[in-house]
C-alpha cells in the first residue's frame, strides 16, 4: 500500500499540470499529414478571454521537453508569461533535413524546403491562430539545421515571428551575411538570440561568431540581440544552457521588479516612481504585445521607494493607478491612507484605512491589518516615518 501511495504522489503532479497533447494537420502544400505537440498554459481553460504568446519549435521531437520545463518554471514565478508551445515532429525518414532543404548555390529553400516554409506560414500558423487564443507575439526556435532554416522568416518585409532563437545554427551559403542585413532593415521591435559553444562544430561556431561581429555593429534600439558562446559545452549540451538565457532575454522586461532593479533603477530616482511603473508596463505591452495587469509586488516596490525618498505626494498617483488595476480591492484606499499617515494627518489616514477595510483583501493587505491600523490612528499624535525596502513591504512570491 505504501508503495502505491508513493507512486501516486509522484505521478499526481504530472496528471494535474501536464496539458501536452498531440495533433495532426493535413498539409495541402506538402500533401501529407504533419504531427505536432501542443501545450496549453495552466490558466487556458479557466481564463476564457486571455490570449497567449506562442512558441513554435522546429525539431519539436527533442526541443519540446526542455523548452516546456523552462517555460513552466519561469511562469510559476511570474518571470515569464504563460506561453502556448507547439513542436513540429520531424523525426520521420530524416524530415528535419528534407523539410529544411536549400539550393546549395542560392542558399534559398528549394524542393520540400520551399513547401515546408509555405506550410508553416500559410497553413500551420493560420490553423493555430484560428484554433487557439494566440497573442500577436510569436517566437520560433530551432537547433543546427532547423536553427539556420528559421532565419528565412526574416527575409520577408513583415516577419511572421517577433523573436528568433537560433541554437548552434547551420547556415546555408551566405546566410550569415544576409541575416545582419535583414536585422538592420527592421524598424519594429525584434528579438534575436543565437548561441554556440567551445565544443561546437567548427564550421558552425565560426559562422555564428562571424554573424555576431556583424550584428554588434547594428545600432538600432528596436533590435534586442543576445549572443552566447558557452565554454565547456558541446553542440548538443549547449541547448540546455541556452534555453533559459534565450527566454529571459526575450521576456526580461516582463519580470517583476527585483531587488536589483529597485536598488539600481528606482530607489535613487529623485521623483517619478509611479511614472517608472507605468512606463515599465507600457514597454511590456509595446515589446511583447501583452497587456498585463500591474503586479501587486510591483505596487509594493514603488510604495517602498516613495517612503524611502519621502515623496509622499506620489501616493495619490499610486492610489489612482491601483483603482484602475484592482478596482474592488482595498489597495487604492490603502495607498491614500499611507499618504495621510506619513504626512501626519492621522484622522484622514484612519478614514481611508476604514474605507480599505470595507473592500476586498488583496495579497498581504487584510481586514485584520486595516483594523489594527485604524486603532493605531486613533491615538497616535506624532510619528517618525521609517524607511522600508521591497523585501519588507513586498508580498513574497509563491513558496
Amino acid at each position: 500500500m505504501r508503495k502505491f501511495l508513493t507512486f501516486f504522489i509522484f505521478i499526481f503532479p504530472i496528471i494535474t499540470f501536464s496539458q501536452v497533447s498531440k495533433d495532426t494537420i493535413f498539409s495541402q502544400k506538402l500533401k501529407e499529414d504533419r504531427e505536432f505537440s501542443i501545450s496549453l498554459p495552466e490558466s487556458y481553460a479557466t481564463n476564457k478571454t486571455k490570449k497567449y504568446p506562442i512558441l513554435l519549435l522546429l525539431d519539436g521531437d527533442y526541443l519540446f521537453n526542455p523548452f516546456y520545463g523552462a517555460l513552466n518554471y519561469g511562469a510559476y514565478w511570474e518571470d515569464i508569461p504563460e506561453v502556448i508551445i507547439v513542436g513540429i515532429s520531424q523525426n520521420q525518414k530524416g524530415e528535419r533535413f528534407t523539410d529544411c532543404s536549400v539550393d546549395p548555390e542560392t542558399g534559398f529553400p528549394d524542393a520540400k524546403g520551399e513547401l515546408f516554409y509555405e506550410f508553416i506560414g500559410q497553413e500551420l500558423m493560420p490553423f493555430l491562430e484560428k484554433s487557439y487564443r494566440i497573442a500577436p507575439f510569436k517566437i520560433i526556435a530551432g537547433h543546427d539545421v532547423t536553427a539556420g532554416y528559421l532565419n528565412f522568416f526574416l527575409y520577408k518585409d513583415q516577419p511572421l515571428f517577433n523573436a528568433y532563437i537560433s541554437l548552434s545554427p547551420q547556415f546555408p551559403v551566405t546566410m550569415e551575411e544576409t541575416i545582419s542585413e535583414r536585422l538592420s532593415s527592421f524598424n519594429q521591435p525584434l528579438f534575436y538570440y543565437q548561441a554556440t559553444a567551445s565544443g561546437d562544430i567548427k564550421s558552425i561556431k565560426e559562422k555564428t561568431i562571424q554573424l555576431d561581429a556583424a550584428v554588434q555593429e547594428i545600432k538600432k534600439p528596436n533590435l534586442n540581440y543576445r549572443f552566447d558562446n558557452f565554454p565547456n559545452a558541446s553542440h548538443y549540451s549547449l541547448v540546455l544552457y541556452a534555453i533559459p538565457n534565450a527566454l529571459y532575454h526575450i521576456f526580461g522586461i516582463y519580470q517583476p521588479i527585483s531587488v536589483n532593479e529597485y536598488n539600481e533603477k528606482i530607489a535613487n530616482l529623485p521623483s517619478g516612481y509611479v511614472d517608472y511603473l507605468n512606463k515599465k508596463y507600457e514597454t511590456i505591452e509595446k515589446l511583447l504585445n501583452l497587456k498585463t495587469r500591474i503586479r501587486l509586488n510591483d505596487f509594493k516596490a514603488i510604495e517602498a521607494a516613495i517612503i524611502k525618498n519621502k515623496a509622499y505626494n506620489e501616493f495619490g498617483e499610486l492610489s489612482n493607478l491601483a483603482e484602475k488595476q484592482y478596482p474592488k480591492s482595498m489597495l487604492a484606499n490603502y495607498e491614500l491612507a499611507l499618504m495621510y499617515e506619513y504626512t501626519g494627518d492621522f484622522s484622514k489616514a484612519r478614514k481611508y484605512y476604514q474605507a480599505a477595510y470595507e473592500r476586498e483583501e488583496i495579497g498581504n493587505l487584510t481586514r485584520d491589518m486595516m483594523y489594527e491600523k485604524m486603532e493605531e490612528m486613533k491615538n497616535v499624535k506624532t510619528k517618525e516615518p521609517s524607511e522600508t525596502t521591497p523585501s519588507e513591504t513586498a508580498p513574497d512570491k509563491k513558496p
Side-chain angles (χ1 to χ4, degrees):
M1 182 65 171
R2 181 175 294 175
K3 290 182 179 179
F4 172 78
L5 287 175
T6 303
F7 175 73
F8 181 78
I9 288 169
F10 277 105
I11 68 167
F12 183 73
I14 299 173
I15 296 172
T16 303
F17 298 113
S18 177
Q19 300 184 56
V20 181
S21 60
K22 297 277 189 181
D23 203 348
T24 302
I25 179 175
F26 179 77
S27 169
Q28 294 288 347
K29 299 289 183 180
L30 298 170
K31 305 299 181 188
E32 63 185 15
D33 288 322
R34 292 307 298 255
E35 183 185 74
F36 61 89
S37 300
I38 183 166
S39 168
L40 300 178
E42 186 179 343
S43 68
Y44 191 90
T46 55
N47 196 333
K48 300 293 185 181
T49 59
K50 184 176 180 180
K51 293 186 176 182
Y52 301 84
I54 186 170
L55 167 63
L56 181 68
L57 295 172
L58 308 182
D59 279 322
D61 306 281
Y62 66 88
L63 288 183
F64 193 96
N65 284 338
F67 270 99
Y68 176 82
L71 281 164
N72 277 275
Y73 182 84
Y76 180 86
W77 296 110
E78 296 187 327
D79 281 348
I80 293 173
E82 292 182 296
V83 173
I84 294 173
I85 311 170
V86 174
I88 303 175
S89 298
Q90 293 182 278
N91 64 350
Q92 299 292 325
K93 302 175 184 176
E95 280 176 335
R96 67 191 306 267
F97 296 105
T98 56
D99 286 345
C100 301
S101 61
V102 298
D103 186 298
E105 295 183 3
T106 67
F108 285 95
D110 71 348
K112 192 179 181 184
E114 184 175 0
L115 297 175
F116 186 66
Y117 179 88
E118 293 174 352
F119 159 69
I120 291 174
Q122 298 176 26
E123 295 180 326
L124 179 59
M125 291 304 294
F127 168 78
L128 294 170
E129 290 179 290
K130 184 178 179 180
S131 303
Y132 303 97
R133 299 192 304 274
I134 294 175
F137 194 77
K138 303 176 181 68
I139 312 165
I140 188 169
H143 179 228
D144 62 48
V145 67
T146 61
Y149 183 86
L150 63 81
N151 289 285
F152 288 122
F153 291 99
L154 286 170
Y155 287 21
K156 298 178 71 68
D157 291 337
Q158 294 296 325
L160 179 60
F161 299 95
N162 310 89
Y164 298 75
I165 300 175
S166 179
L167 307 176
S168 185
Q170 181 178 321
F171 294 132
V173 61
T174 72
M175 178 176 270
E176 67 274 14
E177 300 169 6
T178 307
I179 293 173
S180 61
E181 294 172 3
R182 296 302 302 150
L183 291 176
S184 65
S185 70
F186 297 121
N187 292 318
Q188 66 267 43
L190 196 75
F191 292 84
Y192 194 89
Y193 175 90
Q194 64 166 348
T196 185
S198 61
D200 203 354
I201 297 168
K202 184 179 179 181
S203 60
I204 289 178
K205 180 168 63 175
E206 289 175 348
K207 288 189 175 183
T208 306
I209 292 173
Q210 180 183 338
L211 173 58
D212 173 61
V215 178
Q216 294 290 353
E217 297 298 317
I218 301 173
K219 307 301 180 185
K220 302 200 78 168
N222 287 329
L223 176 60
N224 300 277
Y225 172 74
R226 173 165 175 167
F227 168 68
D228 281 321
N229 187 351
F230 297 104
N232 304 316
S234 70
H235 177 67
Y236 298 102
S237 66
L238 72 83
V239 169
L240 294 179
Y241 291 96
I243 287 174
N245 283 8
L247 294 176
Y248 275 84
H249 166 64
I250 293 169
F251 293 117
I253 185 61
Y254 182 85
Q255 297 175 64
I257 293 172
S258 65
V259 173
N260 285 342
E261 183 178 0
Y262 174 84
N263 289 330
E264 296 171 9
K265 297 184 178 180
I266 302 174
N268 295 325
L269 289 173
S271 61
Y273 310 103
V274 180
D275 284 343
Y276 180 95
L277 184 61
N278 275 317
K279 288 176 183 176
K280 177 181 175 72
Y281 281 80
E282 287 170 3
T283 304
I284 292 173
E285 184 172 1
K286 179 182 178 182
L287 287 182
L288 304 179
N289 285 307
L290 286 176
K291 193 167 182 64
T292 305
R293 185 160 68 168
I294 298 174
R295 300 173 182 90
L296 181 61
N297 184 77
D298 291 350
F299 269 99
K300 303 299 284 181
I302 299 305
E303 178 186 303
I306 290 171
I307 295 171
K308 175 181 173 62
N309 293 286
K310 300 181 181 180
Y312 306 130
N313 61 307
E314 290 206 28
F315 273 125
E317 297 176 58
L318 196 60
S319 174
N320 290 335
L321 189 58
E323 188 67 32
K324 293 177 183 177
Q325 295 287 313
Y326 298 93
K328 296 181 180 180
S329 81
M330 56 178 62
L331 183 60
N333 286 318
Y334 172 74
E335 302 296 358
L336 286 176
L338 285 178
M339 180 177 70
Y340 288 115
E341 178 180 354
Y342 277 90
T343 54
D345 192 337
F346 304 117
S347 176
K348 282 189 177 178
R350 184 174 186 276
K351 171 186 172 182
Y352 282 101
Y353 281 128
Q354 182 172 354
Y357 177 88
E358 295 169 359
R359 287 195 171 189
E360 293 179 2
E361 296 180 344
I362 180 171
N364 64 347
L365 303 182
T366 65
R367 288 189 175 85
D368 286 345
M369 176 184 176
M370 297 307 133
Y371 182 79
E372 290 173 5
K373 294 297 294 184
M374 288 160 56
E375 291 299 301
E376 180 185 339
M377 294 301 104
K378 273 185 183 180
N379 303 314
V380 68
K381 292 182 180 180
T382 60
K383 184 177 176 66
E384 286 294 327
S386 59
E387 291 189 358
T388 55
T389 65
S391 61
E392 294 170 328
T393 61
D396 291 335
K397 288 189 177 184
K398 298 175 185 177

PDB file of all heavy atoms in Angstrom, residues 13-27:
ATOM      1  N   PRO A  13       1.240  15.189  -9.707  1.00  0.00           N
ATOM      2  CA  PRO A  13       1.509  16.490 -10.307  1.00  0.00           C
ATOM      3  C   PRO A  13       1.525  16.456 -11.824  1.00  0.00           C
ATOM      4  O   PRO A  13       1.118  17.406 -12.474  1.00  0.00           O
ATOM      5  CB  PRO A  13       2.893  16.854  -9.742  1.00  0.00           C
ATOM      6  CG  PRO A  13       3.002  16.065  -8.483  1.00  0.00           C
ATOM      7  CD  PRO A  13       2.275  14.786  -8.765  1.00  0.00           C
ATOM      8  N   ILE A  14       1.989  15.341 -12.396  1.00  0.00           N
ATOM      9  CA  ILE A  14       2.017  15.244 -13.850  1.00  0.00           C
ATOM     10  C   ILE A  14       0.594  15.212 -14.397  1.00  0.00           C
ATOM     11  O   ILE A  14       0.255  15.887 -15.361  1.00  0.00           O
ATOM     12  CB  ILE A  14       2.793  13.982 -14.286  1.00  0.00           C
ATOM     13  CG1 ILE A  14       4.241  14.073 -13.781  1.00  0.00           C
ATOM     14  CG2 ILE A  14       2.760  13.824 -15.783  1.00  0.00           C
ATOM     15  CD1 ILE A  14       5.046  12.817 -13.995  1.00  0.00           C
ATOM     16  N   ILE A  15      -0.264  14.451 -13.759  1.00  0.00           N
ATOM     17  CA  ILE A  15      -1.652  14.374 -14.208  1.00  0.00           C
ATOM     18  C   ILE A  15      -2.332  15.724 -14.071  1.00  0.00           C
ATOM     19  O   ILE A  15      -3.103  16.157 -14.919  1.00  0.00           O
ATOM     20  CB  ILE A  15      -2.424  13.319 -13.386  1.00  0.00           C
ATOM     21  CG1 ILE A  15      -1.834  11.927 -13.638  1.00  0.00           C
ATOM     22  CG2 ILE A  15      -3.900  13.331 -13.705  1.00  0.00           C
ATOM     23  CD1 ILE A  15      -2.384  10.850 -12.731  1.00  0.00           C
ATOM     24  N   THR A  16      -2.017  16.445 -12.972  1.00  0.00           N
ATOM     25  CA  THR A  16      -2.686  17.707 -12.699  1.00  0.00           C
ATOM     26  C   THR A  16      -2.249  18.803 -13.647  1.00  0.00           C
ATOM     27  O   THR A  16      -3.065  19.545 -14.184  1.00  0.00           O
ATOM     28  CB  THR A  16      -2.400  18.151 -11.246  1.00  0.00           C
ATOM     29  OG1 THR A  16      -2.828  17.108 -10.377  1.00  0.00           O
ATOM     30  CG2 THR A  16      -3.132  19.427 -10.908  1.00  0.00           C
ATOM     31  N   PHE A  17      -0.928  18.950 -13.885  1.00  0.00           N
ATOM     32  CA  PHE A  17      -0.427  20.122 -14.564  1.00  0.00           C
ATOM     33  C   PHE A  17      -0.082  19.904 -16.034  1.00  0.00           C
ATOM     34  O   PHE A  17      -0.005  20.847 -16.786  1.00  0.00           O
ATOM     35  CB  PHE A  17       0.800  20.661 -13.828  1.00  0.00           C
ATOM     36  CG  PHE A  17       0.493  21.102 -12.421  1.00  0.00           C
ATOM     37  CD1 PHE A  17       1.001  20.436 -11.333  1.00  0.00           C
ATOM     38  CD2 PHE A  17      -0.337  22.183 -12.210  1.00  0.00           C
ATOM     39  CE1 PHE A  17       0.709  20.847 -10.039  1.00  0.00           C
ATOM     40  CE2 PHE A  17      -0.631  22.610 -10.918  1.00  0.00           C
ATOM     41  CZ  PHE A  17      -0.113  21.938  -9.839  1.00  0.00           C
ATOM     42  N   SER A  18       0.154  18.672 -16.447  1.00  0.00           N
ATOM     43  CA  SER A  18       0.539  18.435 -17.821  1.00  0.00           C
ATOM     44  C   SER A  18      -0.650  18.625 -18.751  1.00  0.00           C
ATOM     45  O   SER A  18      -1.703  18.021 -18.560  1.00  0.00           O
ATOM     46  CB  SER A  18       1.099  17.016 -17.982  1.00  0.00           C
ATOM     47  OG  SER A  18       1.410  16.756 -19.325  1.00  0.00           O
ATOM     48  N   GLN A  19      -0.470  19.487 -19.747  1.00  0.00           N
ATOM     49  CA  GLN A  19      -1.520  19.715 -20.729  1.00  0.00           C
ATOM     50  C   GLN A  19      -0.944  19.562 -22.132  1.00  0.00           C
ATOM     51  O   GLN A  19      -1.265  20.316 -23.028  1.00  0.00           O
ATOM     52  CB  GLN A  19      -2.126  21.108 -20.540  1.00  0.00           C
ATOM     53  CG  GLN A  19      -2.749  21.324 -19.171  1.00  0.00           C
ATOM     54  CD  GLN A  19      -3.412  22.678 -19.063  1.00  0.00           C
ATOM     55  OE1 GLN A  19      -4.276  23.034 -19.850  1.00  0.00           O
ATOM     56  NE2 GLN A  19      -3.006  23.448 -18.072  1.00  0.00           N
ATOM     57  N   VAL A  20      -0.059  18.586 -22.294  1.00  0.00           N
ATOM     58  CA  VAL A  20       0.573  18.348 -23.585  1.00  0.00           C
ATOM     59  C   VAL A  20      -0.240  17.324 -24.359  1.00  0.00           C
ATOM     60  O   VAL A  20      -0.618  16.281 -23.823  1.00  0.00           O
ATOM     61  CB  VAL A  20       2.014  17.837 -23.412  1.00  0.00           C
ATOM     62  CG1 VAL A  20       2.676  17.624 -24.771  1.00  0.00           C
ATOM     63  CG2 VAL A  20       2.823  18.815 -22.569  1.00  0.00           C
ATOM     64  N   SER A  21      -0.516  17.625 -25.607  1.00  0.00           N
ATOM     65  CA  SER A  21      -1.265  16.687 -26.439  1.00  0.00           C
ATOM     66  C   SER A  21      -0.671  16.665 -27.835  1.00  0.00           C
ATOM     67  O   SER A  21       0.104  17.541 -28.218  1.00  0.00           O
ATOM     68  CB  SER A  21      -2.747  17.084 -26.502  1.00  0.00           C
ATOM     69  OG  SER A  21      -2.885  18.379 -27.053  1.00  0.00           O
ATOM     70  N   LYS A  22      -1.025  15.646 -28.593  1.00  0.00           N
ATOM     71  CA  LYS A  22      -0.581  15.506 -29.980  1.00  0.00           C
ATOM     72  C   LYS A  22      -1.747  15.854 -30.907  1.00  0.00           C
ATOM     73  O   LYS A  22      -2.907  15.578 -30.612  1.00  0.00           O
ATOM     74  CB  LYS A  22      -0.131  14.069 -30.259  1.00  0.00           C
ATOM     75  CG  LYS A  22       1.065  13.599 -29.442  1.00  0.00           C
ATOM     76  CD  LYS A  22       2.365  14.042 -30.064  1.00  0.00           C
ATOM     77  CE  LYS A  22       3.548  13.371 -29.372  1.00  0.00           C
ATOM     78  NZ  LYS A  22       4.838  13.811 -29.939  1.00  0.00           N
ATOM     79  N   ASP A  23      -1.427  16.459 -32.024  1.00  0.00           N
ATOM     80  CA  ASP A  23      -2.448  16.761 -33.019  1.00  0.00           C
ATOM     81  C   ASP A  23      -1.827  16.592 -34.399  1.00  0.00           C
ATOM     82  O   ASP A  23      -0.600  16.512 -34.542  1.00  0.00           O
ATOM     83  CB  ASP A  23      -2.985  18.182 -32.825  1.00  0.00           C
ATOM     84  CG  ASP A  23      -4.381  18.366 -33.427  1.00  0.00           C
ATOM     85  OD1 ASP A  23      -4.834  17.465 -34.180  1.00  0.00           O
ATOM     86  OD2 ASP A  23      -5.015  19.395 -33.144  1.00  0.00           O
ATOM     87  N   THR A  24      -2.671  16.547 -35.398  1.00  0.00           N
ATOM     88  CA  THR A  24      -2.213  16.363 -36.779  1.00  0.00           C
ATOM     89  C   THR A  24      -2.945  17.331 -37.687  1.00  0.00           C
ATOM     90  O   THR A  24      -4.138  17.584 -37.513  1.00  0.00           O
ATOM     91  CB  THR A  24      -2.460  14.919 -37.259  1.00  0.00           C
ATOM     92  OG1 THR A  24      -1.786  14.011 -36.388  1.00  0.00           O
ATOM     93  CG2 THR A  24      -1.944  14.721 -38.676  1.00  0.00           C
ATOM     94  N   ILE A  25      -2.228  17.874 -38.643  1.00  0.00           N
ATOM     95  CA  ILE A  25      -2.838  18.727 -39.661  1.00  0.00           C
ATOM     96  C   ILE A  25      -2.430  18.187 -41.028  1.00  0.00           C
ATOM     97  O   ILE A  25      -1.271  17.813 -41.238  1.00  0.00           O
ATOM     98  CB  ILE A  25      -2.397  20.201 -39.486  1.00  0.00           C
ATOM     99  CG1 ILE A  25      -3.009  21.078 -40.575  1.00  0.00           C
ATOM    100  CG2 ILE A  25      -0.890  20.334 -39.471  1.00  0.00           C
ATOM    101  CD1 ILE A  25      -2.719  22.570 -40.393  1.00  0.00           C
ATOM    102  N   PHE A  26      -3.390  18.141 -41.946  1.00  0.00           N
ATOM    103  CA  PHE A  26      -3.050  17.723 -43.315  1.00  0.00           C
ATOM    104  C   PHE A  26      -2.604  18.950 -44.088  1.00  0.00           C
ATOM    105  O   PHE A  26      -3.299  19.966 -44.138  1.00  0.00           O
ATOM    106  CB  PHE A  26      -4.226  17.074 -44.029  1.00  0.00           C
ATOM    107  CG  PHE A  26      -3.890  16.668 -45.435  1.00  0.00           C
ATOM    108  CD1 PHE A  26      -3.131  15.533 -45.685  1.00  0.00           C
ATOM    109  CD2 PHE A  26      -4.299  17.452 -46.513  1.00  0.00           C
ATOM    110  CE1 PHE A  26      -2.802  15.167 -46.980  1.00  0.00           C
ATOM    111  CE2 PHE A  26      -3.964  17.089 -47.813  1.00  0.00           C
ATOM    112  CZ  PHE A  26      -3.218  15.942 -48.048  1.00  0.00           C
ATOM    113  N   SER A  27      -1.423  18.870 -44.674  1.00  0.00           N
ATOM    114  CA  SER A  27      -0.867  19.977 -45.438  1.00  0.00           C
ATOM    115  C   SER A  27      -1.138  19.805 -46.921  1.00  0.00           C
ATOM    116  O   SER A  27      -0.707  18.818 -47.531  1.00  0.00           O
ATOM    117  CB  SER A  27       0.642  20.075 -45.203  1.00  0.00           C
ATOM    118  OG  SER A  27       1.228  20.978 -46.117  1.00  0.00           O
TER     119      SER A  27
END
